[in-house]
Each structure stands twice: as structure tokens, then as C-alpha cells.
Amino acid sequence: MVNFPVRRDSGEVEMFTGYRVQHTLAMGPAKGGIRYAPGVSLGECAALSMWMSIKCAVVGLPFGGAKGGVRCDPNRLSAGELERITRRYATEILPIIGPDRDIPAPDMATGEREMAWFMDTYSQQAGHGVPESVTGKPVVLGGTVGRRAATGLGVVFCMEALFERLDWSMDGCRVAIQGFGNVGTVVARELTRRGASIVGLADVTGGLLDPEGLDVEEVIAWVAEHRFLRGCPAGEATTRQGVLRASCDVLIPAALEKQITAENAQQLECRLVVEAANGPTTPEADRILLERGIMLLPDVVANAGGVTVSYLEWVQDQQKYFWDADTIADRMRRQLHDALGRVFDAAERTAADWRTAAQLVALERLVEAARLRAIWP
Ligand code: GLU
């Protein structure tokens, strides 16, 4: 936990609190994003770092889990203030991060811009450029092609594999998405390209419903101009929560955690939930969905495309040799398909739901790694 002062544009000095939690170091360096949000806390970072351990282990990446963040409201901060927060936070946690220790990446409200500041701050201290110290950087600084869209594209690759297994068709499939940021936008666009119909969309300011399917490009153009969905003339207006109750085949929570709860789980009108966000379903809601026979593809697989391409970025940075977009997409798809295969096998073997099966696959690996390394000295 770190506390640090930052000068606001007004000249006032404000104290901020930041966190970085490393969950396990048995599998390799720790890996996970940095988020900027008012609700960031030690407990949340700890929980999310465990999620990252499970995610990396399911996909078979040589990392343990980490997560960090700064408690702040990024919507109320200027670019200059965000830069000063990022650089000071990076400096504060510098002793515990690094390409062989702990590699930060984007998460909520952070992206290429913040990762460039992060990488530069780390490199200034090292005395030379260290692109492999963070992932999710701009391509010109040693980032990888395809990282920006990776999480959303990974969600779509997982759905394609699952649909094949269920013998469902993407054509005409009705999808509702909560969250229209880096992940939700890519998912909406890519699913539309594959013939699905987006019947509901929402962001923090509200949502839109259209049983006939929204014009996704029109909504994206609106958001590009007005930043948020509120006021968008497409479809019928609803709330951020309202979109969860949309009648659809697939519901994709792609925003915050704890959105599908004991209160609303009975009202969902979907056949499948695909967790693009981390932890969008509470344990109570999980049980209700199971009882109702609603299938659920858990976050640790569904949104693992992001960290998988982060891994590919880190590898490219270390070898100083870069691959093209098709190679990145193919490798990510293969890695996710293999992970799904392991999860489905474990589910069949143990008659468990997919979340439990994913945790089982991950924990088997983590436990084996810890057992084999044994106790030092
Ligand atoms: N923040 C993303 C996640 O939750 C990506 C982490 C990474 O790329 O290291 O999976």
C-alpha cells in the first residue's frame, strides 16, 4: 500500500492511496492490471490478484497473479493529473515490480497512454528503456499489435468455440452487453460482423434496448462524439441494470464486478452468461443461475484474451522480435481453445459447473508448482 501526494491543476496538493498485490510467485513473475476507480481497495486488489492467478494458470501462462490500482475518480482528473498520479504511483511500487518480478498492464480506466508513462518512469530509473516492464503499451514503444482489442476478441473466440460445442449458430444470436468500454465495444462489433444481433447495450450512464438489433456502428459513432451512451437516439432507453434483464440468448457483463446478484438473477432472460468483466456474478447469483439452468462461461477463461496477448507482448519484448497481427490472433485463439478444452474436460470428469472446473484446472497447476518447488532452504 502506498500513499503519495500529487499536485492538482488548481495548485492544491492531494494525497492518493495506491495498491499492488501479488498473489503467488510460484509460477513465474506476477502479472495483472492497474485500475483507476473510486472503489479501489486492498481487498478488491487482493481478490482480483487471485483471479489473475487462476486466469494465468487456466490458460497455461508462466505467471502468478497480481493486481493494483489507485483509488481515484479518473473522470474528474485531467490528463496532466493522471500523468502525475501514474508516474508517482509507478515510482512508489518500483521496488517490487519489473520484467522478472511483476509486470503491470491496463485494467479499468487505464490504457496505452498510462502504460507509456509507466514504462517511461520505470526506464528513467533503470537508466535505459525497459519495454518488457509493462504490457499494453503503444506499439511504437514495444507494444504488440492486437493488444487493444485482445480482451474483446478473446471473448468472441471463446464464444465461437462454445457455440460449436453447443451446436448454436452465431447468425441471428441475440446478445445483450453491459459495458461499452474497451471490451464491450470490440465484442459488439465483432459479434455483429459474425451475424449476431445486439439487442441491448449499456454503459455507466444508461442503456439501449432494441429487440430487432441495434446499429452498433451508429452507437460507436455516438460515443466517439459524446463519450457516453446517454442521449443516444438508437433503440429504447433503459438503465445500466435494465440491460441485464433484456430478453436474449447471451448476456455479456463487460463492466464492473457484482452486477448479477441474488436480487436480479431470477429476472435474467438469457440462456448463457459470458463473463467479459472480472467477477460480475456474485456467488449467490451463481447458484441461482445454476438452478435455473442458465449456462455460464466464467471470467477466468472468457476474458483471458487480454492477459494472453500481454504474455505475447512480454515474449516479443524479451526477444526483440515482433510478430504480425494474424500470428498474434492465431496464437491467442489456440491458447484459449486449449484452455476451454481443459475446462470442459474437467467439468465432465467431475460433473462440476464450468467455473468450478476452471478453478480446479488452475488450482491443480498452482498446487503442483508450489509442491515441486517445496520449501526453501
Ligand atoms: N487487466 C486485465 C485482466 O484483468 C489484463 C491483465 C494483463 O494483461 O496483465 O485480465
Side-chain angles (χ1 to χ4, degrees):
M1 257 181 84
V2 293
N3 289 296
F4 53 89
V6 172
R7 199 172 298 283
R8 300 289 305 265
D9 291 344
S10 64
E12 271 173 58
V13 171
E14 190 173 326
M15 290 300 292
F16 288 88
T17 303
Y19 308 88
R20 183 71 179 170
V21 177
Q22 299 168 345
H23 175 241
T24 169
L25 303 173
M27 309 279 291
K31 186 88 192 77
I34 304 267
R35 58 171 58 180
Y36 293 168
V40 168
S41 67
L42 187 59
E44 186 188 73
C45 290
L48 288 163
S49 72
M50 284 189 233
W51 250 290
M52 287 306 301
S53 289
I54 293 171
K55 203 183 292 188
C56 293
V58 172
V59 183
L61 306 178
F63 296 132
K67 189 72 99 185
V70 177
R71 180 190 276 268
C72 64
D73 185 351
N75 289 326
R76 290 167 192 274
L77 295 163
S78 69
E81 290 169 333
L82 285 168
E83 178 173 359
R84 293 195 287 281
I85 289 174
T86 304
R87 287 189 182 278
R88 181 63 189 254
Y89 167 66
T91 307
E92 294 287 338
I93 65 166
L94 207 82
I96 62 160
I97 62 171
D100 297 312
R101 284 191 162 191
D102 180 354
I103 307 124
D107 199 82
M108 275 163 46
T110 61
E112 289 179 19
R113 183 180 64 170
E114 287 73 18
M115 294 309 114
W117 293 330
F118 225 97
M119 175 266 185
D120 183 68
T121 305
Y122 189 93
S123 300
Q124 295 294 345
Q125 301 296 323
H128 56 90
V130 190
E132 61 271 37
S133 58
V134 293
T135 60
K137 303 173 293 292
V139 173
V140 69
L141 295 180
T144 182
V145 290
R147 176 64 183 87
R148 200 179 306 158
T151 310
L153 203 56
V155 172
V156 174
F157 288 165
C158 284
M159 285 176 68
E160 283 179 329
L162 179 57
F163 275 36
E164 207 179 300
R165 192 183 162 90
L166 297 171
D167 207 15
W168 285 13
S169 167
M170 202 62 97
D171 205 32
C173 177
R174 295 167 310 136
V175 180
I177 305 171
Q178 188 204 39
F180 207 53
N182 184 39
V183 181
T185 313
V186 173
V187 173
R189 183 176 260 161
E190 292 293 328
L191 289 180
T192 306
R193 277 190 193 147
R194 287 161 172 77
S197 168
I198 309 300
V199 296
L201 273 178
D203 70 6
V204 278
T205 63
L208 307 169
L209 294 175
D210 186 348
E212 301 301 317
L214 292 155
D215 181 339
V216 171
E217 293 307 322
E218 180 193 336
V219 181
I220 289 175
W222 170 274
V223 172
E225 198 178 329
H226 301 88
R227 200 154 165 226
F228 294 112
L229 281 180
R230 187 177 27 217
C232 180
E236 188 191 315
T238 183
T239 58
R240 174 158 66 138
Q241 293 293 328
V243 80
L244 298 174
R245 296 188 295 271
S247 168
C248 58
D249 299 304
V250 186
L251 175 65
I252 307 182
L256 286 171
E257 53 255 30
K258 295 189 207 149
Q259 295 302 298
I260 303 174
T261 62
E263 279 71 56
N264 64 15
Q266 288 291 0
Q267 294 152 19
L268 300 198
E269 280 188 52
C270 61
R271 295 196 284 163
L272 166 69
V273 173
V274 176
E275 294 187 323
N278 286 317
T281 314
T282 66
E284 299 78 36
D286 234 359
R287 277 191 287 277
I288 297 171
L289 298 186
L290 211 57
E291 276 162 27
R292 293 189 58 203
I294 296 176
M295 290 177 285
L296 184 143
L297 193 64
D299 44 14
V300 288
V301 192
N303 71 28
V307 71
T308 302
V309 176
S310 272
Y311 164 65
L312 298 174
E313 178 174 338
W314 179 72
V315 170
Q316 291 171 88
D317 285 338
Q318 310 246 29
Q319 64 185 9
K320 313 245 178 305
Y321 179 72
F322 291 84
W323 301 315
D324 61 22
D326 287 346
T327 308
I328 302 286
D330 278 351
R331 290 192 182 183
M332 190 235 293
R333 187 193 282 115
R334 216 177 321 136
Q335 202 115 16
L336 292 179
H337 283 194
D338 288 353
L340 277 173
R342 286 193 283 275
V343 171
F344 293 145
D345 286 351
E348 264 163 33
R349 179 161 49 87
T350 61
D353 60 278
W354 293 332
R355 190 192 306 285
T356 310
Q359 288 172 353
L360 189 71
V361 170
L363 288 173
E364 276 171 357
R365 287 182 80 107
L366 288 166
V367 167
E368 198 192 356
R371 193 178 55 78
L372 289 172
R373 286 182 66 159
I375 295 171
W376 184 88

